[in-house]
Amino acid sequence: MAAFNEYCTNHKKSEYFYHSYHLGKLIYYTQEIILEDESLCLIIRPKIAAKRAFRLFEDLRAQEVTPEELLNIRDRFLTLPVLEERGFLLQ
């Protein structure tokens, strides 16, 4: 968000542009970004109690992610070695 704000400032974009431009809205509503090898997973929260997840590929294709797929993606970041390294497992 800071980078987009800096872009708007450097290019003398109006406050309206910052809040109405599609990229600005996407950044504003993105709650979480998970960086995978082949894509980004964006978790968007457009309103309270609503959440949608999308996978964004290098060629800018977007694919909606099901709740089950999102859980699987998150689980990959909670592997046994990672948990051990962070001290979350009891010996």
Side-chain angles (χ1 to χ4, degrees), residues 13-21:
K13 301 293 184 184
S14 68
E15 191 74 18
Y16 174 79
F17 177 86
Y18 178 79
H19 291 288
S20 66
Y21 193 64

Side-chain angles (χ1 to χ4, degrees), residues 42-61:
L42 304 171
I43 293 85
I44 312 292
R45 209 175 265 284
K47 57 185 177 180
I48 295 173
K51 173 172 56 176
R52 294 178 72 185
F54 297 89
R55 185 174 274 133
L56 185 63
F57 296 95
E58 288 181 7
D59 60 1
L60 299 181
R61 285 180 300 115

Side-chain angles (χ1 to χ4, degrees), residues 45-82:
R45 209 175 265 284
K47 57 185 177 180
I48 295 173
K51 173 172 56 176
R52 294 178 72 185
F54 297 89
R55 185 174 274 133
L56 185 63
F57 296 95
E58 288 181 7
D59 60 1
L60 299 181
R61 285 180 300 115
Q63 172 188 30
E64 190 155 9
V65 175
T66 67
E68 183 179 343
E69 289 173 313
L70 180 56
L71 287 174
N72 290 336
I73 292 168
R74 285 179 169 158
D75 284 348
R76 278 184 266 168
F77 290 93
L78 296 175
T79 62
L80 188 57
V82 171

